[in-house]
Amino acid sequence: MKKFLIILSVIFIVSLGCKKENIGGGGLCACSPVINPPLSLVIKNSADVDLLNPKTKGYFDKTQIQLYSKDAKNVIKQINFEIRQPFAYTTNLKIDYYQLISSEIPYLSKSIDQTFYLKLGDNKLYELNLKVTNNMVEKLLIDKTEAPKEIQTGTNSYLDTIYRLKIS
């Protein structure tokens, strides 16, 4: 019985001593999940207007967007994604545009030769290829052309994974 109480006490003390993510201003600890940056894609028109913003005429709603892969038998597998709203990390670091984000696609990408597909409404089908190292997207090719990163001031690992798709 004493061993059981000692083990229970140790578990209780360890759970109190562990800082949780974003609580009390602390960072990650052994108890917190490790979250790698997702693929983030900003979609703009030739006038540099955000086409994921609902206030933009002709914007793309989530229901109009398809992100998927095909297996060897051409069976389509949908890939989870979200539309992230503009937000601020700090007062000096703001992201002023909507982004299509997918945490699933970096895990599915085995090599840069693997192709994923992005369909925006009735527009053309885009082929996406990702170079992923340690679950972080290092390079994004859209229709075999390297996608530029969205220019943003500040330094943050999330900002380094925001790419831009410009459609006409």
Side-chain angles (χ1 to χ4, degrees), residues 64-117:
Q64 297 173 298
I65 301 171
Q66 297 176 40
L67 181 61
Y68 60 91
S69 63
K70 293 181 184 178
D71 66 11
K73 297 178 183 177
N74 276 337
V75 175
I76 292 176
K77 181 192 180 298
Q78 296 295 325
I79 297 172
N80 293 322
F81 70 91
E82 295 297 324
I83 304 296
R84 177 177 275 170
Q85 296 183 357
F87 64 97
Y89 278 113
T90 64
T91 54
N92 297 337
L93 184 56
K94 295 180 182 177
I95 297 176
D96 299 324
Y97 38 78
Y98 288 75
Q99 312 114 62
L100 181 149
I101 62 164
S102 175
S103 297
E104 185 178 1
I105 199 167
Y107 291 108
L108 295 174
S109 182
K110 304 298 180 215
S111 77
I112 197 150
D113 297 324
Q114 184 178 5
T115 303
F116 299 93
Y117 302 92

Side-chain angles (χ1 to χ4, degrees), residues 2-167:
K2 279 187 174 181
K3 289 180 184 178
F4 178 73
L5 288 175
I6 291 171
I7 291 171
L8 191 59
S9 298
V10 168
I11 291 172
F12 178 73
I13 291 169
V14 168
S15 69
L16 289 178
C18 181
K19 270 188 184 172
K20 300 297 182 200
E21 185 176 17
N22 295 328
I23 297 176
L28 294 175
C29 73
C31 303
S32 299
V34 175
I35 300 171
N36 290 319
L39 169 68
S40 298
L41 187 61
V42 175
I43 302 170
K44 295 183 175 182
N45 64 13
S46 57
D48 218 29
V49 176
D50 185 356
L51 293 176
L52 295 175
N53 186 341
K55 295 177 183 174
T56 301
K57 183 180 178 186
Y59 84 102
F60 295 108
D61 184 69
K62 184 179 179 187
T63 60
Q64 297 173 298
I65 301 171
Q66 297 176 40
L67 181 61
Y68 60 91
S69 63
K70 293 181 184 178
D71 66 11
K73 297 178 183 177
N74 276 337
V75 175
I76 292 176
K77 181 192 180 298
Q78 296 295 325
I79 297 172
N80 293 322
F81 70 91
E82 295 297 324
I83 304 296
R84 177 177 275 170
Q85 296 183 357
F87 64 97
Y89 278 113
T90 64
T91 54
N92 297 337
L93 184 56
K94 295 180 182 177
I95 297 176
D96 299 324
Y97 38 78
Y98 288 75
Q99 312 114 62
L100 181 149
I101 62 164
S102 175
S103 297
E104 185 178 1
I105 199 167
Y107 291 108
L108 295 174
S109 182
K110 304 298 180 215
S111 77
I112 197 150
D113 297 324
Q114 184 178 5
T115 303
F116 299 93
Y117 302 92
L118 176 66
K119 181 81 171 147
L120 301 170
D122 294 330
N123 289 341
K124 76 176 215 151
L125 181 68
Y126 295 94
E127 291 185 359
L128 307 178
N129 300 85
L130 292 82
K131 179 180 180 187
V132 178
T133 306
N134 297 325
N135 294 325
M136 291 186 64
V137 179
E138 271 188 30
K139 183 189 291 189
L140 172 66
L141 301 178
I142 301 175
D143 292 337
K144 308 294 184 215
T145 303
E146 189 169 347
K149 291 189 177 184
E150 183 63 23
I151 299 169
Q152 186 72 30
T153 57
T155 56
N156 184 291
S157 62
Y158 182 78
L159 294 177
D160 293 337
T161 62
I162 302 176
Y163 293 89
R164 182 177 352 114
L165 169 61
K166 197 168 258 195
I167 61 174

